[in-house]
């Protein structure tokens, strides 16, 4: 009989930063870990790391405890 229990996939919580003439724009996303690294989904922009982690859990991912900085040129 097959095991039907689902194991949550891992995800990173990213702090994204985009330079702007008026100061850096900062937001948070969760990114599933695929092939050993985070894969951005780019379909959400959250105001806090907690809200990004909550969204990751809602989509079946277990977010990492740490936040990874990611700068967008």
């Amino acid at each position: 009989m097959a095991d039907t229990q689902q194991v949550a996939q891992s995800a990173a919580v990213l702090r994204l930063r985009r330079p702007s003439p008026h100061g850096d724009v900062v937001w948070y996303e969760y990114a599933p870990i695929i092939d050993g690294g985070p894969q951005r989904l780019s379909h959400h922009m959250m105001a806090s790391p907690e809200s990004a982690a909550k969204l990751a859990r809602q989509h079946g991912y277990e977010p990492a405890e740490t936040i990874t900085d990611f700068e967008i040129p």
Side-chain angles (χ1 to χ4, degrees):
M1 186 166 154
D3 183 6
T4 58
Q5 181 178 356
Q6 291 185 348
V7 177
Q9 295 177 309
S10 297
V13 175
L14 305 177
R15 177 178 24 239
L16 291 107
R17 189 177 317 266
R18 176 175 285 152
S20 165
H22 305 288
D24 289 352
V25 177
V26 177
W27 69 94
Y28 297 86
E29 296 179 1
Y30 79 87
I33 303 298
I34 299 173
D35 293 330
Q39 180 68 43
R40 285 189 63 215
L41 300 175
S42 300
H43 69 274
H44 61 280
M45 296 171 69
M46 309 304 288
S48 72
E50 294 82 10
S51 58
K54 180 179 178 183
L55 186 62
R57 286 186 196 95
Q58 290 173 350
H59 286 109
Y61 294 95
E62 184 55 40
E65 295 290 325
T66 59
I67 299 169
T68 303
D69 284 311
F70 193 88
E71 187 160 337
I72 298 175

